[in-house]
Every structure is written in structure tokens, then in C-alpha cells.
Amino acid sequence: MEENLPVSSITNKKYVLNKEVKSEHQEQMRKIGLKLIQLRTDKNISASRLTKDLGISRNAYYAMESGKVYFNILNLILVLDYHQLTILEFFSGL
């Protein structure tokens, strides 16, 4: 905690990230989405099948593949586990 700020001013602040991807993140999010599509299509798996197997919503998964909105990291971990990849392996080529 910063000493110069009263506790109330620190605890009342919330940082909320807009779901829409900021321009400086768009290229990286697009690459993530394309890589997810490639992983899925290389195994000849439909998005519907993958989301059913993982128990995540199709909308959440399509958002990940589209790269146009920020997504839940836990969903990414589920998808990577499904493909037997670690986070480091996934991001190493991006």
C-alpha cells in the first residue's frame, strides 16, 4: 500500500477492463485467435464440439477465436489443456 494515500482512497478504486480490445493489443489478440483456430482445425474439431467437451459457452470460445474481445484466462487454460499445451508452449510462437 502507498503510504501517502488514505486506505479508503485505495480500496474504493476499481480498475475495470473494457471487453473491447484496445488498439495496442489488437494484433496480439488476433494472433492468439488465429492460433486457437489452427489448433482446433488441425485436429478436425468443431468449435461446438470443443466447447461441449470443455463445458464453456460457445460465445466465450468464439470471442477467444475472434480476438476482438478480452477473454477469461481460465478458459484459455482449459483450451490449452485440451490440446495438451502449456501456456509457455502456446505463447512461444506468437
Side-chain angles (χ1 to χ4, degrees):
M1 230 181 329
E2 295 180 20
E3 291 182 20
N4 298 338
L5 295 175
V7 173
S8 62
S9 69
I10 294 171
T11 57
N12 290 335
K13 291 183 180 182
K14 286 186 179 180
Y15 180 76
V16 178
L17 184 62
N18 188 344
K19 278 202 144 215
E20 187 176 319
V21 175
K22 293 180 180 180
S23 60
E24 61 266 25
H25 301 150
Q26 287 176 351
E27 181 62 21
Q28 194 65 34
M29 293 298 287
R30 186 185 68 76
K31 287 180 181 180
I32 290 169
L34 290 174
K35 192 162 185 178
L36 290 172
I37 292 168
Q38 181 180 10
L39 287 172
R40 182 176 56 74
T41 57
D42 284 352
K43 291 185 177 180
N44 200 27
I45 301 168
S46 70
S48 294
R49 160 102 188 270
L50 186 132
T51 58
K52 186 177 181 181
D53 289 350
L54 295 177
I56 62 176
S57 76
R58 281 185 277 166
N59 286 345
Y61 185 74
Y62 287 126
M64 292 170 67
E65 282 192 354
S66 76
K68 294 181 180 178
V69 296
Y70 294 108
F71 53 80
N72 184 323
I73 189 71
L74 295 175
N75 286 342
L76 177 62
I77 291 169
L78 282 172
V79 172
L80 296 181
D81 190 51
Y82 184 88
H83 292 293
Q84 299 177 338
L85 288 172
T86 66
I87 291 175
L88 291 175
E89 290 169 333
F90 179 77
F91 283 106
S92 68
L94 292 177

